[in-house]
Amino acid sequence: MSHRPSSPSPCRRSLLRGSLVVPAALTVPALSGAAPALALRGRPSADWGVQAGDVGAHSGLVWVRSDRPARMIVETSATESFRRPTRWRGPLLGPRTDFTGTTRLRGLPAGEQIHYRVLLADPDDPRRTGKPVTGTFRTTSLRRRDDVRFLWSGDIAGQGWGINPELGGWRVYEEMRGRNPDFFLCSGDNIYADGPIQASVKLPDGRVWKNITTPEKSKVAETLAEFRGNFRYNLLDEHVRRFNAQVPSIVQWDDHEVRNNWYPGQILEDPRYTEKDVDVLAGRSLRAFSEYYPISTQRPGDRDGRVYRVLRHGPLLDVFVLDMRTYRNANSPNRQPEDTTGILGAEQLAWLKRELSRSRAVWKVIASDMPLGLVVGDGQTNFEAVAQGDPGAPLGRELQIAELLRHIKHRRITGTVWLTADVHYTSAQHYDPSRAAFKDFAPFWEFVSGPLAAGGFPAVKLDGTFGPDQTFVKAPDRANTSPAETPPYYGEVDIDGDSGELTVRLRQQGGGVLFTKVLQPGRVGQ
């Protein structure tokens, strides 16, 4: 990787050391309650760290949370000394957004390391500011010869496996930070709003898993405050905060941001919930999601924000972020011969076809929060993802995917690669019409990673409709293995600026590379 050191440079490491003062043992922000203290004395504090997200060539978003009402101010510089910084006046942080705020930075230089610091100012006395919290990110390069590296994974704090201080917390984030990626793609299930975390869980071998707990994580999330507390829980981990200060994110969502296997219009029968209307829960979750991540969810004309979007990463890469949750039809046996809603909804599908056709990037990564050919069930007869186990012609949600794949072939769109998580193991599938019941598409690859911090699960079956061949899979042999038994998985993508080759590596924490695949640019059927 010609433009990237193998580990963060000394100046970047010193910058990050200054961003959060913590002892060697796992520490958590002082403010672990549902709402910050509204103290009249002292200065505003940003104990939850900073994050950058949706970074482009000339812009990016910076996030912070205050411990009290404050004005968000961001300063940027080409160096960590912050000589002659550029200042950005951000929003006023208060109870309406749970004291969180995001500031969009514009007019940044392309392909450069941006150092930033966030100051929180007293609204009544702007001269009174808290201690600056610092971070850094690289803007997208517009030069064809500059390499790109990013990581992806998903599934965090699930199945009751939370932050274990006896194991040092979520150390996988420190390992990923050491890979020095340009950005991190989180493929959904950032939280498990339906998965309470208890103080301890007994493991099959007699050991006891210990969790950090909070009131909001002690029950299923229903109120806005409880959803906010679920997103805040991840920030209790020092490795996450340090990772966020160095690596910008591209975040999407899936079911566990609300509830397992949810779909619009669903009415719950789960006795744990007093609020039975999933649409109400989803609205609260989307609001908290938008508050706790630096994400461009709001577009002109959007009433409640939008998760699906495309992020341009220079000549080599476009990332198409899908939302397979908000616009889907109800989970069912998924065998209907006609289906215009599918898993994306008609409007999102039209958007995706249009944006893929417009893309001039060498590689088009489709960030899919659910896999295409893996059979993910919902109960005894219904199905949760695209496939339903019938290897014949497309039915149900498969019809929409067939339409998309046909469009990609006939418009001669090259370089599509699908990345996903969701199933809590790691695998690689190659789809080819020569093996498929539906044949009007060009071959492509799908790579699966995760979980980062959740239970591991056995591999599910493949559906033959689009002709998948599983060239690699690593999964536990029983359900809900703890992270102590099944170390976290994450994926890495390197795009070489000279050759244009895209290399995918499926990784396991502490175990190095499990699988590698090199793809050539501009080719069909690889």
Side-chain angles (χ1 to χ4, degrees):
M1 304 293 289
S2 58
H3 80 297
R4 175 182 294 103
S6 59
S7 60
S9 63
C11 66
R12 292 180 71 188
R13 284 198 296 268
S14 63
L15 169 71
L16 293 166
R17 280 198 299 268
S19 68
L20 191 64
V21 179
V22 295
L26 183 71
T27 62
V28 299
L31 305 171
S32 58
L38 302 180
L40 298 179
R41 299 178 180 177
R43 299 170 184 261
S45 179
D47 293 325
W48 301 89
V50 290
Q51 304 179 60
D54 286 10
V55 171
H58 300 295
S59 66
L61 300 171
V62 171
W63 174 98
V64 76
R65 184 178 192 252
S66 178
D67 69 338
R68 69 198 70 194
R71 171 69 66 182
M72 180 181 182
I73 299 169
V74 182
E75 293 182 340
T76 63
S77 173
T79 66
E80 61 179 324
S81 65
F82 284 93
R83 293 185 61 188
R84 298 180 179 177
T86 300
R87 174 168 283 209
W88 313 79
R89 190 171 186 267
L92 185 64
L93 313 183
R96 189 180 65 84
T97 61
D98 201 30
F99 301 87
T100 67
T102 297
T103 298
R104 181 177 290 277
L105 312 181
R106 302 180 187 273
L108 302 175
E112 297 292 336
Q113 194 72 38
I114 305 297
H115 298 265
Y116 69 89
R117 60 188 178 193
V118 177
L119 299 94
L120 298 176
D122 187 327
D124 298 321
D125 184 357
R127 296 170 299 179
R128 292 177 56 82
T129 61
K131 182 179 180 181
V133 183
T134 55
T136 184
F137 61 84
R138 284 187 292 272
T139 52
T140 296
S141 174
L142 297 178
R143 295 177 298 190
R144 170 63 170 76
R145 295 179 64 87
D146 281 350
D147 307 336
V148 177
R149 171 182 293 167
F150 69 94
L151 308 179
W152 94 92
S153 190
D155 313 309
I156 304 163
Q159 288 75 46
W161 310 112
I163 302 168
N164 186 335
E166 293 185 350
L167 296 181
W170 292 339
R171 292 179 292 111
V172 65
Y173 281 90
E174 194 67 19
E175 183 174 311
M176 293 194 301
R177 188 174 74 98
R179 301 301 305 160
N180 196 22
D182 291 295
F183 63 89
F184 173 62
L185 167 63
C186 193
S187 301
D189 291 347
N190 299 268
I191 64 169
Y192 280 70
D194 57 336
I197 289 178
Q198 306 302 322
S200 63
V201 182
K202 189 173 182 180
L203 301 178
D205 61 5
R207 290 181 296 167
V208 176
W209 176 280
K210 299 291 185 65
N211 284 316
I212 292 175
T213 61
T214 66
E216 297 88 356
K217 288 298 299 178
S218 66
K219 65 178 290 293
V220 296
E222 299 179 84
T223 67
L224 178 59
E226 289 165 351
F227 281 109
R228 286 167 166 170
N230 272 255
F231 287 105
R232 192 162 55 245
Y233 179 84
N234 296 357
L235 299 176
L236 294 174
D237 185 272
E238 64 168 310
H239 306 302
V240 172
R241 299 195 300 271
R242 211 160 28 229
F243 182 82
N244 288 345
Q246 178 178 323
V247 182
S249 62
I250 298 175
V251 183
Q252 63 191 132
W253 78 340
D254 195 38
D255 57 334
H256 288 287
E257 275 79 10
V258 180
R259 182 189 179 274
N260 186 44
N261 297 353
W262 76 272
Y263 51 83
Q266 185 180 23
I267 301 299
L268 301 180
E269 297 179 357
D270 190 331
R272 299 178 301 169
Y273 288 84
T274 57
E275 176 55 70
K276 304 294 187 181
D277 189 334
V278 164
D279 290 349
V280 172
L281 298 174
R284 292 168 180 167
S285 179
L286 179 59
R287 177 172 172 178
F289 176 87
S290 303
E291 292 170 344
Y292 271 85
Y293 291 114
I295 172 175
S296 307
T297 57
Q298 199 67 40
R299 308 290 202 284
D302 284 355
R303 184 179 61 182
D304 298 315
R306 192 180 85 187
V307 175
Y308 70 86
R309 61 205 189 280
V310 58
L311 283 304
R312 314 288 184 187
H313 206 84
L316 290 175
L317 175 66
D318 283 345
V319 181
F320 299 85
V321 182
L322 303 188
D323 180 353
M324 290 181 154
R325 191 57 52 180
T326 306
Y327 312 101
R328 63 164 55 199
N329 51 22
N331 290 354
S332 71
N334 199 25
R335 285 174 167 81
Q336 55 270 33
E338 296 182 1
D339 190 348
T340 57
T341 300
I343 199 165
L344 296 172
E347 183 178 334
Q348 183 178 190
L349 176 61
W351 165 86
L352 180 57
K353 291 163 65 176
R354 182 174 63 251
E355 293 299 328
L356 282 169
S357 298
R358 290 175 176 173
S359 175
R360 296 296 176 262
V362 176
W363 295 101
K364 295 92 174 168
V365 163
I366 301 176
S368 173
D369 45 299
M370 302 211 74
L372 298 186
L374 306 184
V375 181
V376 183
D378 179 16
Q380 296 299 313
T381 60
N382 294 339
F383 293 91
E384 159 72 351
V386 175
Q388 80 292 78
D390 182 339
L395 295 171
R397 293 170 179 161
E398 293 173 337
L399 291 163
Q400 200 173 58
I401 300 303
E403 180 182 345
L404 174 62
L405 297 179
R406 183 188 296 113
H407 173 84
I408 291 171
K409 174 188 173 181
H410 287 270
R411 293 298 297 265
R412 299 181 180 179
I413 299 169
T414 61
T416 58
V417 179
W418 292 70
L419 301 182
T420 187
D422 183 69
V423 290
H424 295 236
Y425 61 86
T426 186
S427 69
Q429 289 82 233
H430 182 249
Y431 293 80
D432 194 298
S434 66
R435 298 185 295 262
F438 174 76
K439 297 183 178 299
D440 195 9
F441 71 98
F444 65 94
W445 281 88
E446 174 187 56
F447 299 96
V448 182
S449 193
L452 269 185
F457 283 80
V460 299
K461 295 179 180 180
L462 293 177
D463 184 308
T465 297
F466 300 116
D469 175 36
Q470 195 163 69
T471 61
F472 173 80
V473 60
K474 185 171 184 182
D477 58 6
R478 61 181 176 83
N480 197 20
T481 57
S482 75
E485 302 164 272
T486 304
Y489 298 120
Y490 63 96
E492 179 180 73
V493 176
D494 279 315
I495 306 177
D496 184 81
D498 291 325
S499 66
E501 287 183 344
L502 182 147
T503 301
V504 178
R505 297 179 180 89
L506 301 179
R507 291 181 172 271
Q508 183 177 41
Q509 179 187 338
V513 177
L514 303 173
F515 174 83
T516 301
K517 182 64 185 180
V518 179
L519 304 180
Q520 301 299 322
R523 294 186 184 177
V524 175
Q526 57 186 322

